[in-house]
Protein backbone atom coordinates (compact mmCIF):
# COMPACT_ATOMS: atom_id res chain seq x y z
CA UNK A 1 0.00 0.00 0.00
CA UNK A 2 1.22 3.48 -0.87
CA UNK A 3 1.96 5.46 2.31
CA UNK A 4 2.27 8.97 0.90
CA UNK A 5 2.73 10.93 -2.32
CA UNK A 6 3.94 14.53 -2.26
CA UNK A 7 4.51 17.24 -4.85
CA UNK A 8 6.71 20.17 -3.86
CA UNK A 9 8.93 22.77 -5.47
CA UNK A 10 12.71 22.82 -5.34
CA UNK A 11 12.39 25.71 -2.91
CA UNK A 12 10.56 23.45 -0.43
CA UNK A 13 6.96 24.62 -0.91
CA UNK A 14 4.55 21.66 -0.69
CA UNK A 15 1.91 22.01 -3.43
CA UNK A 16 -0.12 18.82 -3.00
CA UNK A 17 -0.32 15.70 -0.86
CA UNK A 18 -2.73 12.81 -1.10
CA UNK A 19 -5.34 13.40 1.61
CA UNK A 20 -6.89 9.95 1.29
CA UNK A 21 -3.59 8.26 2.04
CA UNK A 22 -2.97 10.56 4.97
CA UNK A 23 -0.82 8.03 6.81
CA UNK A 24 1.41 9.54 9.46
CA UNK A 25 4.96 8.67 8.46
CA UNK A 26 7.25 7.55 11.25
CA UNK A 27 10.44 9.54 11.47
CA UNK A 28 11.23 12.08 8.77
CA UNK A 29 11.86 10.21 5.50
CA UNK A 30 11.20 13.22 3.24
CA UNK A 31 13.62 15.49 5.12
CA UNK A 32 16.26 12.75 5.15
CA UNK A 33 15.80 12.22 1.40
CA UNK A 34 16.31 15.92 0.73
CA UNK A 35 19.36 16.17 3.01
CA UNK A 36 21.20 13.00 2.06
CA UNK A 37 20.15 12.50 -1.57
CA UNK A 38 18.82 15.58 -3.35
CA UNK A 39 21.21 18.11 -1.81
CA UNK A 40 24.21 15.76 -1.95
CA UNK A 41 23.89 15.13 -5.70
CA UNK A 42 22.75 11.52 -5.27
CA UNK A 43 19.47 12.04 -7.12
CA UNK A 44 20.60 9.79 -9.96
CA UNK A 45 19.81 6.74 -7.80
CA UNK A 46 16.64 4.78 -8.48
CA UNK A 47 15.35 4.70 -4.89
CA UNK A 48 16.25 5.49 -1.29
CA UNK A 49 15.72 3.27 1.76
CA UNK A 50 14.84 4.89 5.07
CA UNK A 51 14.83 2.98 8.35
CA UNK A 52 12.81 4.25 11.31
CA UNK A 53 11.98 2.55 14.63
CA UNK A 54 9.34 -0.05 13.82
CA UNK A 55 9.18 0.48 10.05
CA UNK A 56 11.23 0.65 6.86
CA UNK A 57 10.30 2.87 3.93
CA UNK A 58 11.33 3.00 0.30
CA UNK A 59 11.20 6.39 -1.41
CA UNK A 60 11.09 6.94 -5.16
CA UNK A 61 11.09 10.28 -6.88
CA UNK A 62 11.16 12.08 -10.20
CA UNK A 63 11.75 15.67 -11.30
CA UNK A 64 10.17 18.13 -13.67
CA UNK A 65 13.27 20.23 -14.19
CA UNK A 66 11.64 22.78 -16.47
CA UNK A 67 9.02 23.67 -13.82
CA UNK A 68 11.27 22.96 -10.81
CA UNK A 69 8.97 20.34 -9.26
CA UNK A 70 9.76 17.21 -7.26
CA UNK A 71 7.40 14.21 -7.03
CA UNK A 72 8.05 11.75 -4.17
CA UNK A 73 6.26 8.47 -3.38
CA UNK A 74 6.69 6.66 -0.03
CA UNK A 75 5.71 3.04 0.63
CA UNK A 76 6.61 0.16 2.94
CA UNK A 77 9.79 -1.55 1.74
CA UNK A 78 8.41 -5.04 2.30
CA UNK A 79 5.60 -4.55 -0.24
CA UNK A 80 7.66 -4.10 -3.47
CA UNK A 81 4.98 -2.11 -5.29
CA UNK A 82 5.41 -2.45 -9.05
CA UNK A 83 3.24 0.46 -10.13
CA UNK A 84 5.08 3.28 -8.31
CA UNK A 85 7.36 4.30 -11.20
CA UNK A 86 4.47 4.27 -13.65
CA UNK A 87 2.28 6.23 -11.22
CA UNK A 88 4.96 8.89 -10.68
CA UNK A 89 5.43 9.44 -14.42
CA UNK A 90 1.64 9.73 -14.93
CA UNK A 91 1.26 12.15 -12.00
CA UNK A 92 4.14 14.22 -13.32
CA UNK A 93 2.57 14.42 -16.78
CA UNK A 94 -0.91 15.35 -15.54
CA UNK A 95 0.18 17.79 -12.82
CA UNK A 96 2.44 19.71 -15.20
CA UNK A 97 -0.64 20.51 -17.31
CA UNK A 98 -2.52 22.25 -14.49
CA UNK A 99 0.52 23.72 -12.73
CA UNK A 100 0.54 27.48 -12.28
CA UNK A 101 3.41 29.18 -10.39
CA UNK A 102 0.94 31.58 -8.78
CA UNK A 103 -1.23 28.79 -7.31
CA UNK A 104 -0.51 27.11 -4.01
CA UNK A 105 -3.61 24.88 -3.64
CA UNK A 106 -4.47 22.02 -5.98
CA UNK A 107 -7.51 20.36 -4.39
CA UNK A 108 -8.90 19.54 -7.85
CA UNK A 109 -6.00 17.13 -8.40
CA UNK A 110 -7.40 14.59 -5.90
CA UNK A 111 -9.85 13.03 -8.35
CA UNK A 112 -7.25 12.94 -11.10
CA UNK A 113 -4.82 11.15 -8.79
CA UNK A 114 -7.37 8.49 -7.83
CA UNK A 115 -7.99 7.73 -11.50
CA UNK A 116 -4.26 7.59 -12.23
CA UNK A 117 -3.70 5.28 -9.27
CA UNK A 118 -6.39 2.86 -10.46
CA UNK A 119 -4.85 2.80 -13.96
CA UNK A 120 -1.37 2.14 -12.57
CA UNK A 121 -2.63 -0.66 -10.31
CA UNK A 122 -4.51 -2.25 -13.21
CA UNK A 123 -1.38 -2.22 -15.35
CA UNK A 124 0.60 -3.81 -12.53
CA UNK A 125 -2.02 -6.58 -12.20
CA UNK A 126 -1.85 -7.25 -15.94
CA UNK A 127 1.93 -7.55 -15.73
CA UNK A 128 1.62 -10.02 -12.84
CA UNK A 129 -0.87 -12.16 -14.75
CA UNK A 130 1.29 -12.20 -17.87
CA UNK A 131 4.27 -13.33 -15.79
CA UNK A 132 2.24 -16.09 -14.15
CA UNK A 133 1.07 -17.32 -17.56
CA UNK A 134 4.60 -17.38 -18.91
CA UNK A 135 5.96 -19.41 -15.96
CA UNK A 136 4.12 -22.73 -16.70
CA UNK A 137 5.09 -22.43 -20.36
CA UNK A 138 8.73 -22.17 -19.36
CA UNK A 139 8.32 -25.21 -17.08
CA UNK A 140 6.88 -27.27 -19.96
CA UNK A 141 9.80 -26.29 -22.18
CA UNK A 142 12.24 -27.32 -19.46
CA UNK A 143 10.54 -30.70 -19.11
CA UNK A 144 10.69 -31.28 -22.86
CA UNK A 145 14.37 -30.38 -22.96
CA UNK A 146 15.00 -32.77 -20.09
CA UNK A 147 13.25 -35.53 -22.01
CA UNK A 148 15.46 -34.88 -25.03
CA UNK A 149 18.61 -35.13 -22.94
CA UNK A 150 17.44 -38.37 -21.36
CA UNK A 151 16.53 -39.85 -24.73
CA UNK A 152 12.80 -40.30 -23.87
CA UNK A 153 11.30 -38.37 -26.76
CA UNK A 154 9.58 -39.91 -29.78
CA UNK A 155 9.84 -38.27 -33.16
CA UNK A 156 6.29 -39.09 -34.24
CA UNK A 157 4.41 -37.79 -31.21
CA UNK A 158 6.31 -34.64 -30.08
CA UNK A 159 7.33 -32.23 -32.80
CA UNK A 160 9.15 -29.00 -32.29
CA UNK A 161 9.98 -25.95 -34.32
CA UNK A 162 13.42 -25.26 -35.71
CA UNK A 163 14.31 -22.88 -32.86
CA UNK A 164 13.45 -25.46 -30.19
CA UNK A 165 15.40 -28.19 -31.93
CA UNK A 166 18.38 -25.87 -32.04
CA UNK A 167 18.22 -25.41 -28.27
CA UNK A 168 17.98 -29.16 -27.80
CA UNK A 169 20.98 -29.72 -30.02
CA UNK A 170 22.90 -27.24 -27.91
CA UNK A 171 21.99 -29.31 -24.87
CA UNK A 172 23.59 -32.34 -26.57
CA UNK A 173 26.81 -30.34 -27.26
CA UNK A 174 25.87 -29.81 -30.92
CA UNK A 175 26.53 -26.51 -32.63
CA UNK A 176 25.28 -27.41 -36.10
CA UNK A 177 21.97 -26.69 -37.82
CA UNK A 178 18.77 -28.59 -36.89
CA UNK A 179 17.37 -31.40 -38.97
CA UNK A 180 15.22 -30.42 -41.93
CA UNK A 181 11.95 -31.88 -40.63
CA UNK A 182 12.61 -30.56 -37.11
CA UNK A 183 11.97 -34.03 -35.54
CA UNK A 184 14.33 -35.38 -32.95
CA UNK A 185 14.70 -39.06 -32.15
CA UNK A 186 17.21 -40.69 -29.93
CA UNK A 187 17.82 -43.33 -32.56
CA UNK A 188 18.58 -40.78 -35.28
CA UNK A 189 21.03 -38.56 -33.43
CA UNK A 190 24.29 -38.45 -35.34
CA UNK A 191 22.59 -38.60 -38.75
CA UNK A 192 21.83 -35.85 -41.22
CA UNK A 193 23.85 -32.70 -40.88
CA UNK A 194 25.20 -33.69 -37.47
CA UNK A 195 26.90 -36.72 -39.04
CA UNK A 196 28.56 -34.55 -41.64
CA UNK A 197 29.97 -32.36 -38.92
CA UNK A 198 31.26 -35.39 -37.09
CA UNK A 199 32.86 -36.77 -40.24
CA UNK A 200 34.56 -33.53 -41.15
CA UNK A 201 35.89 -32.62 -37.71
CA UNK A 202 36.15 -35.99 -36.00
CA UNK A 203 39.68 -36.80 -37.14
CA UNK A 204 41.16 -33.40 -36.47
CA UNK A 205 39.53 -32.46 -33.18
CA UNK A 206 38.78 -35.85 -31.67
CA UNK A 207 34.97 -35.82 -31.69
CA UNK A 208 33.25 -38.92 -30.33
CA UNK A 209 30.35 -40.81 -31.94
CA UNK A 210 27.59 -38.72 -30.35
CA UNK A 211 29.19 -35.44 -31.50
CA UNK A 212 30.70 -34.40 -28.13
CA UNK A 213 34.11 -32.74 -28.21
CA UNK A 214 36.92 -34.48 -26.31
CA UNK A 215 38.40 -31.70 -24.19
CA UNK A 216 40.98 -33.90 -22.45
CA UNK A 217 43.08 -34.33 -25.59
CA UNK A 218 43.16 -30.59 -26.21
CA UNK A 219 44.17 -29.88 -22.61
CA UNK A 220 46.99 -32.43 -22.87
CA UNK A 221 48.24 -30.82 -26.08
CA UNK A 222 48.12 -27.36 -24.49
CA UNK A 223 49.89 -28.53 -21.34
CA UNK A 224 52.70 -30.07 -23.41
CA UNK A 225 53.13 -26.88 -25.42
CA UNK A 226 52.97 -24.75 -22.26
CA UNK A 227 55.70 -26.81 -20.54
CA UNK A 228 58.01 -26.40 -23.54
CA UNK A 229 57.53 -22.64 -23.69
CA UNK A 230 58.03 -22.31 -19.93
CA UNK A 231 61.30 -24.24 -20.01
CA UNK A 232 62.57 -22.13 -22.91
CA UNK A 233 61.60 -18.91 -21.12
CA UNK A 234 63.30 -20.05 -17.91
CA UNK A 235 66.52 -20.84 -19.78
CA UNK A 236 66.55 -17.43 -21.47
CA UNK A 237 65.89 -15.60 -18.18
CA UNK A 238 68.71 -17.50 -16.43
CA UNK A 239 71.17 -16.62 -19.20
CA UNK A 240 70.17 -12.94 -19.02
CA UNK A 241 70.65 -12.83 -15.25
CA UNK A 242 74.11 -14.35 -15.61
CA UNK A 243 75.17 -11.89 -18.30
CA UNK A 244 73.78 -8.64 -16.87
CA UNK A 245 74.96 -7.91 -13.34
CA UNK A 246 74.59 -4.33 -12.15
CA UNK A 247 77.63 -2.76 -10.53
CA UNK A 248 77.75 0.21 -8.21
CA UNK A 249 78.68 3.39 -10.00
CA UNK A 250 81.47 5.46 -8.51
CA UNK A 251 81.43 9.21 -9.13
CA UNK A 252 84.69 11.12 -9.28
CA UNK A 253 83.45 14.44 -7.88
CA UNK A 254 81.05 13.16 -5.25
CA UNK A 255 79.58 15.83 -2.92
CA UNK A 256 79.69 15.61 0.82
CA UNK A 257 77.12 13.42 2.46
CA UNK A 258 73.97 15.34 3.41
CA UNK A 259 72.83 15.45 6.98
CA UNK A 260 69.75 13.30 7.35
CA UNK A 261 69.19 13.44 11.11
CA UNK A 262 67.88 16.88 12.03
CA UNK A 263 66.88 16.01 15.57
CA UNK A 264 68.56 18.01 18.30
CA UNK A 265 71.31 16.28 20.28
CA UNK A 266 70.33 15.58 23.84
CA UNK A 267 69.59 12.93 26.37
CA UNK A 268 66.95 10.26 26.01
CA UNK A 269 64.48 12.36 27.97
CA UNK A 270 65.08 15.34 25.69
CA UNK A 271 66.00 17.72 28.49
CA UNK A 272 69.17 19.19 26.91
CA UNK A 273 69.61 21.42 23.82
CA UNK A 274 65.90 21.99 23.23
CA UNK A 275 65.23 24.40 20.36
CA UNK A 276 62.03 26.40 20.09
CA UNK A 277 60.63 25.96 16.61
CA UNK A 278 57.68 28.32 16.83
CA UNK A 279 59.94 31.33 16.47
CA UNK A 280 61.69 30.00 13.36
CA UNK A 281 59.02 28.66 11.01
CA UNK A 282 56.68 31.64 10.95
CA UNK A 283 52.93 31.81 10.38
CA UNK A 284 50.93 28.72 9.48
CA UNK A 285 49.31 28.58 6.04
CA UNK A 286 45.96 27.96 7.76
CA UNK A 287 45.75 31.71 8.48
CA UNK A 288 46.60 32.78 4.93
CA UNK A 289 44.01 33.23 2.21
CA UNK A 290 44.80 31.39 -1.01
CA UNK A 291 44.31 33.36 -4.21
CA UNK A 292 42.70 31.44 -7.06
CA UNK A 293 44.18 32.44 -10.40
CA UNK A 294 41.96 32.61 -13.46
CA UNK A 295 44.57 31.51 -15.97
CA UNK A 296 43.73 29.30 -18.92
CA UNK A 297 39.97 29.70 -18.41
CA UNK A 298 39.50 31.43 -21.74
CA UNK A 299 41.73 28.86 -23.46
CA UNK A 300 39.72 25.93 -22.12
CA UNK A 301 36.46 27.61 -23.16
CA UNK A 302 37.81 28.20 -26.67
CA UNK A 303 38.84 24.56 -26.93
CA UNK A 304 35.39 23.41 -25.82
CA UNK A 305 33.64 25.66 -28.34
CA UNK A 306 35.86 24.34 -31.12
CA UNK A 307 35.14 20.73 -30.15
CA UNK A 308 31.41 21.35 -29.91
CA UNK A 309 31.35 23.09 -33.27
CA UNK A 310 33.12 20.13 -34.86
CA UNK A 311 30.71 17.63 -33.31
CA UNK A 312 27.67 19.70 -34.26
CA UNK A 313 28.98 20.11 -37.79
CA UNK A 314 29.32 16.35 -38.18
CA UNK A 315 25.87 15.54 -36.81
CA UNK A 316 23.81 18.27 -38.53
CA UNK A 317 24.02 21.09 -40.98
CA UNK A 318 25.31 24.57 -40.34
CA UNK A 319 21.95 26.29 -40.72
CA UNK A 320 20.07 23.92 -38.40
CA UNK A 321 22.72 24.17 -35.66
CA UNK A 322 22.75 27.98 -35.95
CA UNK A 323 18.95 28.12 -35.80
CA UNK A 324 18.89 25.85 -32.75
CA UNK A 325 21.46 27.97 -30.93
CA UNK A 326 19.37 31.10 -31.56
CA UNK A 327 15.92 29.69 -30.87
CA UNK A 328 16.94 27.31 -28.10
CA UNK A 329 16.17 23.61 -27.82
CA UNK A 330 12.67 22.64 -26.70
CA UNK A 331 13.55 20.22 -23.89
CA UNK A 332 16.80 18.48 -23.08
CA UNK A 333 16.66 14.72 -23.39
CA UNK A 334 18.99 12.09 -21.98
CA UNK A 335 20.41 11.33 -25.41
CA UNK A 336 21.38 15.00 -25.80
CA UNK A 337 23.25 14.98 -22.50
CA UNK A 338 25.10 11.67 -22.90
CA UNK A 339 28.08 12.90 -25.04
CA UNK A 340 28.81 15.85 -22.74
CA UNK A 341 28.38 13.74 -19.60
CA UNK A 342 30.68 11.02 -20.93
CA UNK A 343 33.38 13.61 -21.62
CA UNK A 344 32.91 15.03 -18.12
CA UNK A 345 33.11 11.58 -16.53
CA UNK A 346 36.37 10.82 -18.36
CA UNK A 347 37.76 14.18 -17.28
CA UNK A 348 36.89 13.58 -13.63
CA UNK A 349 38.46 10.12 -13.72
CA UNK A 350 41.69 11.56 -15.14
CA UNK A 351 41.73 13.88 -12.11
CA UNK A 352 41.79 10.82 -9.81
CA UNK A 353 38.08 10.80 -8.95
CA UNK A 354 36.85 7.29 -8.20
CA UNK A 355 34.93 5.76 -11.11
CA UNK A 356 31.85 5.01 -8.99
CA UNK A 357 31.69 8.61 -7.73
CA UNK A 358 32.14 10.09 -11.22
CA UNK A 359 29.34 7.90 -12.58
CA UNK A 360 26.94 8.83 -9.78
CA UNK A 361 27.70 12.52 -10.22
CA UNK A 362 26.96 12.36 -13.94
CA UNK A 363 23.70 10.51 -13.28
CA UNK A 364 22.68 13.17 -10.76
CA UNK A 365 23.49 16.01 -13.17
CA UNK A 366 21.55 14.25 -15.92
CA UNK A 367 18.54 13.89 -13.62
CA UNK A 368 18.68 17.61 -12.78
CA UNK A 369 18.88 18.69 -16.45
CA UNK A 370 16.58 16.20 -18.17
CA UNK A 371 13.43 17.92 -19.44
CA UNK A 372 14.86 21.41 -18.89
CA UNK A 373 14.64 23.94 -21.70
CA UNK A 374 17.95 25.06 -23.16
CA UNK A 375 18.32 28.83 -23.28
CA UNK A 376 19.17 30.72 -26.45
CA UNK A 377 22.81 31.06 -27.51
CA UNK A 378 23.91 28.33 -25.08
CA UNK A 379 25.54 25.00 -25.82
CA UNK A 380 24.68 21.72 -24.19
CA UNK A 381 28.26 21.16 -23.04
CA UNK A 382 28.42 24.55 -21.30
CA UNK A 383 25.05 23.89 -19.65
CA UNK A 384 26.23 20.48 -18.41
CA UNK A 385 29.53 21.94 -17.20
CA UNK A 386 27.76 24.73 -15.30
CA UNK A 387 25.45 22.18 -13.64
CA UNK A 388 28.44 19.99 -12.71
CA UNK A 389 30.29 23.00 -11.30
CA UNK A 390 27.33 23.86 -9.08
CA UNK A 391 27.06 20.22 -7.97
CA UNK A 392 30.77 19.98 -7.09
CA UNK A 393 30.68 23.27 -5.19
CA UNK A 394 27.64 22.10 -3.25
CA UNK A 395 29.31 18.79 -2.34
CA UNK A 396 32.67 20.24 -1.26
CA UNK A 397 31.21 23.15 0.72
CA UNK A 398 30.88 22.09 4.38
CA UNK A 399 27.30 21.72 5.63
CA UNK A 400 28.26 22.66 9.19
CA UNK A 401 30.76 24.91 10.90
CA UNK A 402 34.35 23.66 10.86
CA UNK A 403 35.71 26.44 13.07
CA UNK A 404 37.76 24.41 15.52
CA UNK A 405 38.98 27.48 17.44
CA UNK A 406 35.42 28.47 18.30
CA UNK A 407 34.65 24.91 19.48
CA UNK A 408 37.85 24.90 21.57
CA UNK A 409 36.84 28.11 23.36
CA UNK A 410 33.32 26.74 23.92
CA UNK A 411 34.76 23.59 25.53
CA UNK A 412 37.13 25.74 27.62
CA UNK A 413 34.19 27.70 29.02
CA UNK A 414 32.61 24.39 30.07
CA UNK A 415 35.81 23.47 31.91
CA UNK A 416 36.82 20.44 29.85
CA UNK A 417 39.52 19.83 27.19
CA UNK A 418 38.66 19.61 23.51
CA UNK A 419 39.63 16.10 22.30
CA UNK A 420 40.64 15.34 18.70
CA UNK A 421 41.34 11.74 17.57
CA UNK A 422 43.38 11.15 14.42
CA UNK A 423 42.55 7.88 12.59
CA UNK A 424 43.53 6.41 9.23
CA UNK A 425 45.39 3.68 7.39
CA UNK A 426 49.13 3.01 7.64
CA UNK A 427 51.67 5.51 6.40
CA UNK A 428 49.42 8.46 5.54
CA UNK A 429 51.12 10.91 7.93
CA UNK A 430 48.93 11.00 11.03
CA UNK A 431 51.70 11.88 13.51
CA UNK A 432 53.29 14.51 11.26
CA UNK A 433 50.01 16.28 10.55
CA UNK A 434 49.02 16.05 14.21
CA UNK A 435 52.16 18.06 14.93
CA UNK A 436 51.13 20.60 12.24
CA UNK A 437 47.70 21.00 13.85
CA UNK A 438 49.37 21.43 17.25
CA UNK A 439 51.66 24.13 15.82
CA UNK A 440 48.68 26.01 14.33
CA UNK A 441 46.73 25.83 17.61
CA UNK A 442 49.74 27.12 19.55
CA UNK A 443 49.87 30.17 17.31
CA UNK A 444 46.34 31.00 18.48
CA UNK A 445 47.35 30.79 22.16
CA UNK A 446 45.77 27.40 22.75
CA UNK A 447 47.39 25.06 25.29
CA UNK A 448 47.90 21.70 23.54
CA UNK A 449 48.81 18.28 24.89
CA UNK A 450 49.69 15.23 22.78
CA UNK A 451 48.59 11.70 23.69
CA UNK A 452 50.74 8.86 22.32
CA UNK A 453 48.06 6.18 21.87
CA UNK A 454 49.85 4.38 19.04
CA UNK A 455 51.04 1.51 21.22
CA UNK A 456 51.35 -0.87 18.26
CA UNK A 457 53.98 0.52 15.85
CA UNK A 458 57.60 0.53 16.92
CA UNK A 459 59.00 4.06 17.12
CA UNK A 460 55.60 5.77 17.18
CA UNK A 461 56.00 7.07 20.73
CA UNK A 462 59.54 8.32 20.03
CA UNK A 463 58.32 10.08 16.87
CA UNK A 464 55.59 11.94 18.73
CA UNK A 465 57.99 12.68 21.58
CA UNK A 466 60.35 14.37 19.10
CA UNK A 467 57.56 16.60 17.75
CA UNK A 468 56.49 17.50 21.30
CA UNK A 469 60.07 18.32 22.30
CA UNK A 470 60.62 20.58 19.31
CA UNK A 471 57.39 22.51 19.92
CA UNK A 472 57.64 22.58 23.74
CA UNK A 473 54.34 20.71 24.10
CA UNK A 474 53.58 18.29 26.96
CA UNK A 475 53.07 14.70 25.91
CA UNK A 476 51.29 11.88 27.72
CA UNK A 477 52.72 8.41 27.04
CA UNK A 478 52.58 4.96 28.59
CA UNK A 479 54.87 3.05 26.25
CA UNK A 480 53.90 0.10 24.10
CA UNK A 481 51.53 -2.89 24.34
CA UNK A 482 49.01 -0.91 26.39
CA UNK A 483 45.30 -0.48 25.76
CA UNK A 484 45.04 2.75 23.70
CA UNK A 485 41.54 3.48 25.05
CA UNK A 486 42.86 3.54 28.63
CA UNK A 487 45.89 5.63 27.63
CA UNK A 488 43.63 8.20 25.95
CA UNK A 489 41.32 8.31 28.98
CA UNK A 490 44.23 8.95 31.36
CA UNK A 491 45.59 11.60 28.98
CA UNK A 492 42.27 13.47 29.03
CA UNK A 493 42.21 13.32 32.83
CA UNK A 494 45.79 14.64 32.96
CA UNK A 495 44.88 17.46 30.55
CA UNK A 496 41.95 18.55 32.72
CA UNK A 497 44.29 18.61 35.76
CA UNK A 498 47.11 20.65 34.18
CA UNK A 499 44.80 23.04 32.31
CA UNK A 500 45.39 21.97 28.71
CA UNK A 501 42.77 23.22 26.26
CA UNK A 502 43.16 20.58 23.54
CA UNK A 503 44.21 16.92 23.58
CA UNK A 504 45.46 15.56 20.25
CA UNK A 505 45.23 11.75 20.30
CA UNK A 506 47.52 9.85 17.95
CA UNK A 507 46.35 6.33 17.04
CA UNK A 508 47.94 3.40 15.24
CA UNK A 509 47.55 3.10 11.49
CA UNK A 510 45.27 0.25 10.52
CA UNK A 511 43.83 -1.17 7.35
CA UNK A 512 40.08 -0.96 7.01
CA UNK A 513 39.80 -4.79 6.89
CA UNK A 514 41.77 -5.42 10.12
CA UNK A 515 38.93 -6.20 12.51
CA UNK A 516 40.92 -6.48 15.78
CA UNK A 517 42.50 -3.06 15.31
CA UNK A 518 39.21 -1.54 14.13
CA UNK A 519 37.51 -2.96 17.22
CA UNK A 520 40.20 -1.33 19.42
CA UNK A 521 39.65 2.00 17.63
CA UNK A 522 35.89 1.74 18.08
CA UNK A 523 36.45 1.09 21.79
CA UNK A 524 38.75 4.13 22.09
CA UNK A 525 36.11 6.40 20.53
CA UNK A 526 33.30 4.89 22.61
CA UNK A 527 35.14 5.17 25.94
CA UNK A 528 36.48 8.71 25.49
CA UNK A 529 33.71 10.38 23.38
CA UNK A 530 36.04 12.76 21.50
CA UNK A 531 34.78 16.09 20.20
CA UNK A 532 36.23 15.49 16.74
CA UNK A 533 37.21 12.32 14.85
CA UNK A 534 39.55 13.22 11.99
CA UNK A 535 40.23 10.75 9.20
CA UNK A 536 43.72 11.27 7.79
CA UNK A 537 43.88 10.21 4.15
CA UNK A 538 46.31 10.56 1.28
CA UNK A 539 45.54 12.76 -1.69
CA UNK A 540 47.25 10.14 -3.87
CA UNK A 541 44.54 7.51 -3.61
CA UNK A 542 41.88 7.03 -6.27
CA UNK A 543 39.28 4.29 -6.06
CA UNK A 544 40.72 3.13 -2.72
CA UNK A 545 39.46 6.31 -1.04
CA UNK A 546 35.90 5.02 -1.38
CA UNK A 547 36.82 1.67 0.15
CA UNK A 548 38.78 3.19 3.03
CA UNK A 549 36.22 5.72 4.18
CA UNK A 550 33.12 3.58 3.66
CA UNK A 551 34.64 0.63 5.55
CA UNK A 552 36.00 2.84 8.35
CA UNK A 553 32.53 4.28 8.89
CA UNK A 554 30.95 0.84 8.60
CA UNK A 555 33.32 -0.77 11.12
CA UNK A 556 33.03 2.11 13.58
CA UNK A 557 29.26 1.73 13.43
CA UNK A 558 29.10 -2.06 13.56
CA UNK A 559 31.71 -2.64 16.26
CA UNK A 560 30.60 0.11 18.62
CA UNK A 561 28.48 -0.97 21.62
CA UNK A 562 26.63 2.36 21.53
CA UNK A 563 23.22 2.53 19.79
CA UNK A 564 24.28 5.89 18.30
CA UNK A 565 27.91 5.28 17.29
CA UNK A 566 30.34 8.06 16.44
CA UNK A 567 31.52 8.12 12.85
CA UNK A 568 34.09 10.24 11.03
CA UNK A 569 33.50 13.98 11.58
CA UNK A 570 36.13 15.47 9.28
CA UNK A 571 38.95 14.73 6.86
CA UNK A 572 42.60 15.76 6.90
CA UNK A 573 44.04 15.36 3.40
CA UNK A 574 47.81 14.81 3.30
CA UNK A 575 50.52 14.93 0.62
CA UNK A 576 48.53 17.48 -1.38
CA UNK A 577 51.73 19.00 -2.76
CA UNK A 578 52.62 15.79 -4.65
CA UNK A 579 49.55 15.38 -6.88
CA UNK A 580 49.67 18.35 -9.29
CA UNK A 581 46.11 18.53 -10.72
CA UNK A 582 44.99 15.06 -9.54
CA UNK A 583 42.77 16.47 -6.80
CA UNK A 584 39.93 13.97 -7.19
CA UNK A 585 40.58 12.20 -3.87
CA UNK A 586 39.12 15.19 -2.02
CA UNK A 587 35.87 14.87 -3.95
CA UNK A 588 35.70 11.08 -3.53
CA UNK A 589 36.24 11.25 0.23
CA UNK A 590 33.71 14.02 0.83
CA UNK A 591 31.09 12.39 -1.40
CA UNK A 592 31.32 8.94 0.17
CA UNK A 593 31.41 10.10 3.83
CA UNK A 594 29.60 13.44 3.85
CA UNK A 595 32.36 14.77 6.14
CA UNK A 596 34.12 18.04 5.19
CA UNK A 597 37.84 18.45 4.46
CA UNK A 598 39.02 20.46 7.46
CA UNK A 599 42.79 20.50 6.85
CA UNK A 600 45.09 19.98 3.87
CA UNK A 601 48.71 18.97 4.39
CA UNK A 602 50.94 20.40 1.67
CA UNK A 603 54.56 20.00 2.81
CA UNK A 604 56.97 18.71 5.43
CA UNK A 605 57.32 21.69 7.76
CA UNK A 606 54.96 22.61 10.59
CA UNK A 607 53.57 25.60 8.67
CA UNK A 608 52.48 23.50 5.67
CA UNK A 609 48.87 23.10 6.70
CA UNK A 610 46.05 24.99 4.98
CA UNK A 611 42.32 25.05 4.37
CA UNK A 612 40.65 23.47 1.36
CA UNK A 613 39.94 26.05 -1.33
CA UNK A 614 36.66 24.83 -2.86
CA UNK A 615 36.80 27.15 -5.87
CA UNK A 616 40.34 26.04 -6.71
CA UNK A 617 39.42 22.35 -6.45
CA UNK A 618 36.32 22.72 -8.64
CA UNK A 619 38.25 24.70 -11.23
CA UNK A 620 41.02 22.08 -11.32
CA UNK A 621 38.54 19.20 -11.62
CA UNK A 622 36.76 20.75 -14.61
CA UNK A 623 39.87 22.15 -16.31
Amino acid sequence: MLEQLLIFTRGGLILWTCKELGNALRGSPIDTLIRSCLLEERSGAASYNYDAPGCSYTLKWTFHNDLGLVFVAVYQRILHLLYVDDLLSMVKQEFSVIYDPKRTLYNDFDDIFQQLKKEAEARAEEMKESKQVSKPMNNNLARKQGNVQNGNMDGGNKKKSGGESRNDLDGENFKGHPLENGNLNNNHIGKGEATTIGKNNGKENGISNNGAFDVNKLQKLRSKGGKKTETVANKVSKEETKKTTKKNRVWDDSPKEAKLDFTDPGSENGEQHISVVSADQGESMMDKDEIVSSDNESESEDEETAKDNKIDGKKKGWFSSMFESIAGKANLEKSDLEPALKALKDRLMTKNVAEEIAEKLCESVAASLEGKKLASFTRISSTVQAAMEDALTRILTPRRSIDILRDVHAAKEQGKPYVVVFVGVNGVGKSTNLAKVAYWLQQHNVNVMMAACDTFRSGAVEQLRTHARRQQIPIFEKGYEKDPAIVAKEAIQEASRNGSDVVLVDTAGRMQDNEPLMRALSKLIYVNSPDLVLFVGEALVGNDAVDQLSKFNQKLGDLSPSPNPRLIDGILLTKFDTIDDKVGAALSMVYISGAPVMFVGCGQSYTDLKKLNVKSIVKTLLK
Side-chain angles (χ1 to χ4, degrees), residues 490-509:
E490 294 178 359
I492 296 170
Q493 294 172 354
E494 179 67 22
S496 59
R497 281 195 296 268
N498 63 20
S500 296
D501 301 327
V502 178
V503 180
L504 302 179
V505 180
D506 185 28
T507 62

Side-chain angles (χ1 to χ4, degrees), residues 370-386:
E370 192 174 350
K372 201 172 184 180
K373 188 174 181 181
L374 188 66
S376 303
F377 296 101
T378 54
R379 303 185 312 276
I380 293 177
S381 62
S382 59
T383 304
V384 171
Q385 180 143 349

